[in-house]
Amino acid sequence: MDQASVIINRLSESFLINCRLFALTLLFSLPLGLLIAFGSMSRFKPVRWLMRAFVWVIRGTPLMLQLIIMFYGPGLLGMSIAWPNGDAGRFTAATVAFVINYACYYSEIYRGGIESIPKGQYEAGQVLGMTKAQIFFKVTLLQVVKRIIPPVGNEVMSLVKDTSLARIIANKEIIMMAGEYSSKGLIWPLFATGIYFLIFIGVLTILFDYLEKKLSYFRT
Amino acid sequence: MAILEVKNLGKFFGTLQVLREINFSLEKGEIIVIIGASGSGKTTLLRCLNFLERPDKGSIIVNDEIIFDAENPATQKENEVRKKRLHFGLVFQNFNLFPQYTALQNVTLAAEMLAKERFDYKQNKKAILREIQDNGEKLLAQVGLTDKLNSYPHQISGGQQQRVAIARALALEPDILCFDEPTSALDPELIGEVLNVIRNLADRHTTMIIVTHEMNFARDVADRIIFMDEGIIVEQGTPQMIFENPREERTKQFLTRYSENKDFSPY
Ligand SMILES: Nc1ncnc2c1ncn2[C@@H]1O[C@H](COP(=O)(O)OP(=O)(O)OP(=O)(O)O)[C@@H](O)[C@H]1O
Ligand SMILES: [Mg+2]
């Protein structure tokens, strides 16, 4: 194998780390965000307060800082349960930090979406004898989904690019890998990483456009 | 025998008393039109009847059954309220159709949900759903929308949307159908079609409580007019009594102010 294809192979392998981080973050943060959203709309004030303060802290500080604290924090505080050794530990810490960070962003999108549904929709359902659950699932949910698809799409695309931040705690994701070549004087792999991201984002763009189109048969 | 009796109904918003000692009754097949200035509590009264607001005082009696009593928490249990509110239907000022459903689906949705609670739902599912569909189509035909069954709300005019909303309310066969200013959100040229649908319901002796500012329509369609001001029923009587011979000073003032400000609409 020539040098170029070896490099391409190694870049592809390291991009898998980005992809895994992306997939796991989505898998956990999308539902966790919903829980946080319900918490931040709770009628019980302490819960609402706590959730909103938490969201403020997470959204108000850099993800990079959260990654560092997540990974080094437990050890520095002398906690006995630190992260597993080696790559697995670095990856787990990164995943947890990403999930928490993105769940907070999604929660705000969900909350905005849910609060934007006119009161009359709930009242119309109530007057027709529907239960709260029926109103949520049969009346408001799809309207919320339609409204949040564009902002969720934006966040999902940010996430693709943000996965590179995991390198700050030494996860060997694609840009870190390319960086190793460039420090040896080989520049093109760094540019090549851009292509990976562009293709990924391109696929997501098509996907979200499709979803938006799917729901364009009605207007809210 | 009265189908509905409202006794001493009172409602506060904070310290503001919006309804005080509301008393009236309604016979089966009777049509009451409620008129009154803005802020007099008309909407709040309809919302109380439909359990969208909880009255602080008084009781609501339908067919001799006390369905709400402010003194008796047992009448206010969430799950029973859901059943009891089905005595009433409510047509909103701004329609509140469900945007993701077609006209027909808007009309059938709630009936389909309720059918699931029937003991024979599993065995007769197909027939039950068929019946609900047929009934929905029939109701939309009744409000003149046979050609709009499969249109989404955003594809039809405001007047048509309100007619769908009326069909939707009729689908659950409420004992008493309430309208809160059903034409106030409509362009003038669309008001007539909605009022005509309500007139048709009147001809079929549908029991109705209608809040409206369309005085000519009120006079036409009402068996009884209730005039409200500052949360009380100031005066009630036949349209003739209220419009031609109001006894109370406040009624006179309202009607004069009204005919000066707004020309009586042609409907
Ligand atoms: N949810 C609420 N919270 C506080 N005050 C309210 C609320 N709903 C209504 N009010 C107040 O109650 C009073 C009566 O309102 P209501 O909507 O019943 O009047 P209305 O007779 O329907 O008036 P309109 O002709 O303008 O529709 C008004 O002073 C209004 O500001
Ligand atoms: Mg009103």
Side-chain angles (χ1 to χ4, degrees), chain A residues 119, chain B residues 12-14 16-19 36-47 53 93 180-181 211 213 228 231:
Chain A
K119 219 175 64 192
Chain B
F12 286 84
F13 284 121
L16 178 71
Q17 186 162 16
V18 177
L19 295 178
S38 182
S40 56
K42 306 179 299 292
T43 296
T44 307
L45 175 56
L46 291 189
R47 289 174 61 84
E53 304 287 352
Q93 188 171 339
D180 189 11
E181 302 195 28
V211 172
H213 291 296
M228 282 180 70

Side-chain angles (χ1 to χ4, degrees), chain A residues 121 123 126 129 138-139, chain B residues 47 82 85 97 100-101:
Chain A
Q121 291 290 306
E123 291 183 346
Q126 279 177 295
K138 294 284 176 177
V139 176
Chain B
R47 289 174 61 84
R82 197 167 64 80
R85 69 184 345 145
L97 290 182
Q100 73 269 44
Y101 293 118

Side-chain angles (χ1 to χ4, degrees), chain B residues 4-256:
Chain B
L4 168 69
E5 278 177 86
V6 173
K7 288 188 176 164
N8 281 323
L9 211 67
K11 173 72 190 167
F12 286 84
F13 284 121
T15 55
L16 178 71
Q17 186 162 16
V18 177
L19 295 178
R20 22 186 127 210
E21 312 244 332
I22 297 288
N23 283 289
F24 70 95
S25 65
L26 180 68
E27 302 292 321
K28 192 166 164 50
E30 192 183 15
I31 296 165
I32 287 186
V33 170
I34 303 178
I35 60 174
S38 182
S40 56
K42 306 179 299 292
T43 296
T44 307
L45 175 56
L46 291 189
R47 289 174 61 84
C48 285
L49 294 179
N50 282 278
F51 293 89
L52 290 175
E53 304 287 352
R54 210 179 63 81
D56 300 299
K57 283 187 198 150
S59 55
I60 301 170
I61 299 155
V62 174
N63 288 327
D64 280 338
E65 181 199 354
I66 301 177
I67 64 165
F68 176 87
D69 182 352
E71 311 281 285
N72 182 359
T75 63
Q76 301 164 26
K77 284 186 198 135
E78 170 88 29
N79 206 30
E80 284 167 44
V81 162
R82 197 167 64 80
K83 292 262 157 63
K84 290 194 271 191
R85 69 184 345 145
L86 293 177
H87 288 298
F88 296 89
L90 177 60
V91 173
F92 298 87
Q93 188 171 339
N94 48 2
F95 334 135
N96 291 334
L97 290 182
F98 306 132
Q100 73 269 44
Y101 293 118
T102 63
L104 182 58
Q105 289 169 330
N106 263 280
V107 176
T108 56
L109 180 68
E112 284 168 4
M113 298 290 110
L114 280 170
K116 287 185 183 161
E117 293 168 34
R118 279 172 59 161
F119 71 93
D120 60 344
Y121 182 69
K122 283 232 170 76
Q123 296 112 280
N124 301 338
K125 188 169 172 184
K126 261 206 162 143
I128 290 172
L129 291 180
R130 182 74 254 163
E131 194 182 321
I132 291 172
Q133 286 284 309
D134 291 347
N135 189 46
E137 288 176 17
K138 195 194 80 196
L139 287 168
L140 283 170
Q142 187 185 325
V143 298
L145 290 174
T146 310
D147 55 336
K148 300 292 180 192
L149 294 182
N150 298 317
S151 300
Y152 289 93
H154 76 272
Q155 296 171 324
I156 57 182
S157 72
Q160 292 169 331
Q161 289 185 49
Q162 190 61 299
R163 281 144 67 195
V164 174
I166 293 172
R168 180 174 73 173
L170 288 169
L172 298 181
E173 299 176 355
D175 297 314
I176 301 149
L177 186 52
C178 305
F179 293 81
D180 189 11
E181 302 195 28
T183 58
S184 291
L186 296 176
D187 292 337
E189 73 271 18
L190 301 177
I191 292 176
E193 62 187 65
V194 172
L195 295 185
N196 279 335
V197 165
I198 303 174
R199 274 205 187 90
N200 279 331
L201 293 175
D203 293 340
R204 294 165 177 243
H205 304 291
T206 312
T207 315
M208 295 190 276
I209 303 176
I210 305 169
V211 172
T212 184
H213 291 296
E214 299 290 336
M215 294 302 165
N216 285 340
F217 171 74
R219 191 194 299 235
D220 267 11
V221 85
D223 296 308
R224 185 151 39 114
I225 303 272
I226 286 181
F227 171 66
M228 282 180 70
D229 193 27
E230 295 186 341
I232 60 168
I233 294 179
V234 175
E235 186 169 357
Q236 52 178 311
T238 62
Q240 209 174 5
M241 281 161 65
I242 301 292
F243 286 114
E244 274 148 42
N245 259 321
R247 270 168 303 155
E248 301 288 331
E249 198 52 39
R250 278 198 268 181
T251 320
K252 286 179 198 163
Q253 276 174 7
F254 171 77
L255 290 171
T256 336

